[in-house]
Amino acid sequence: MAQLIDGKRISKEIKDELKAEVDALKGRGIQICLAVVQVGQDPASCVYVNNKKKACAYIGIESESYELPDEVSEEELLALVDRLNHSEHVNGILVQLPLPAHIDEDKIIRAISPDKDVDGFHPVSVGRLWIGEPGFLSCTPAGIIQLLKRSGISMDGKECVVVGRSNIVGKPMAALLLREHATVTMAHSHTKNLWEITKRADILIVAIGKRQFIDAGYVKEGAVVIDVGMHRDDNNKLCGDIVFDEIFEKASAVTPVPGGVGPMTIAMLMNNCVEAVRK
Ligand code: NAP
């Protein structure tokens, strides 16, 4: 039976550390402000945005809300980003994705100043990550590194397999594991005989976006398995990309859904907001 990696507990631990750091900064007259931009009222985006604002309130970071209608033009959104880039009060800018189809997401991401890019999606942040310079890290993979470290799981010299190569999870995950001296293999939808590759993994990170796709047959006995996926099962309960019950019996440690990777993403966003003033 596996050790359960408790993302809820670890994210609370990180938020409490950040709260103490933010209190100390306030004592020196330094206040942190995150601008949260939301276009439209997509229900899932509303939940994410509210959770981010709640985390800000808990830690003592000011959050400024910009709620724009669905039909806002790309030019208007770019003008707002430009204004926030130049605001001395705002330290971090978060534009909640996805954006409506008439707005070019890449253009908006590139318009955010790399100094305020708390999501870590700007090409400058991505480049800094790959060449090992300090900078903003993509929140979900940075959270996974913290989950592993704070659960006492070393990555140094380990065989790590990342399934999924998205810009926000898979690719930055591979870069961060390399930074921790792991031997990294990336798999994706064109990978042949996926199970042969995943079975080599001491640490298997699954970010496919397909409900309960990875079962115990893909996993080596005693491996550590991190499930990034987020779905609803037939009973409307949250579940991930792995078949949890089977893997729980075979792995040495595993993340649950909910309560694993999910809470870490917001904790690391908060860390990036503090990082904006640490710099
Ligand atoms: P994505 O952009 O859809 O990327 C999925 C990746 O999986 C792609 O690289 C794709 O390969 C690969 N893939 C798809 N089918 C595959 C297969 N049969 N075998 C091997 N690889 C396959 O998804 P994402 O944004 O990375 O997110 C992944 C999952 O994590 C989603 O369920 C999402 O909801 C969840 N998520 C959770 C959090 C959190 O905070 N908990 C944050 C972000 C994402 P190709 O590149 O070849 O298409």
Side-chain angles (χ1 to χ4, degrees), residues 105-148:
E105 271 182 15
D106 285 341
K107 206 167 171 181
I108 303 301
I109 289 170
R110 282 167 170 72
I112 295 171
S113 161
D115 292 331
K116 299 188 179 185
D117 174 37
V118 286
D119 262 334
F121 295 161
H122 193 286
V124 169
S125 303
V126 176
R128 283 180 178 150
L129 165 62
W130 279 99
I131 63 173
E133 271 185 13
F136 295 113
L137 303 177
S138 187
C139 300
T140 302
I144 292 170
I145 297 289
Q146 287 301 317
L147 277 182
L148 292 168

Side-chain angles (χ1 to χ4, degrees), residues 62-80:
E62 183 191 341
S63 61
E64 258 181 26
S65 270
Y66 295 87
E67 290 179 16
L68 307 176
D70 243 324
E71 57 282 3
V72 70
S73 69
E74 189 175 276
E75 289 67 33
E76 285 169 305
L77 183 53
L78 285 169
L80 172 61

Side-chain angles (χ1 to χ4, degrees), residues 249-277:
E249 294 303 321
K250 196 169 184 184
S252 62
V254 64
T255 54
V257 175
V261 172
M264 296 302 292
T265 301
I266 290 188
M268 298 319 286
L269 172 70
M270 296 299 106
N271 183 61
N272 277 348
C273 293
V274 179
E275 182 65 19
V277 303

Side-chain angles (χ1 to χ4, degrees), residues 140 163-166 168-170 187-190 194 207-210 213 228-231 241 261-262 265:
T140 302
V163 191
R165 56 173 167 181
S166 69
I168 61 166
V169 186
H188 45 77
S189 68
H190 293 241
L194 180 63
I208 306 185
K210 289 196 169 143
F213 183 89
V228 186
M230 184 68 83
H231 312 274
D241 283 352
V261 172
T265 301

Side-chain angles (χ1 to χ4, degrees), residues 20 143 151:
S151 302

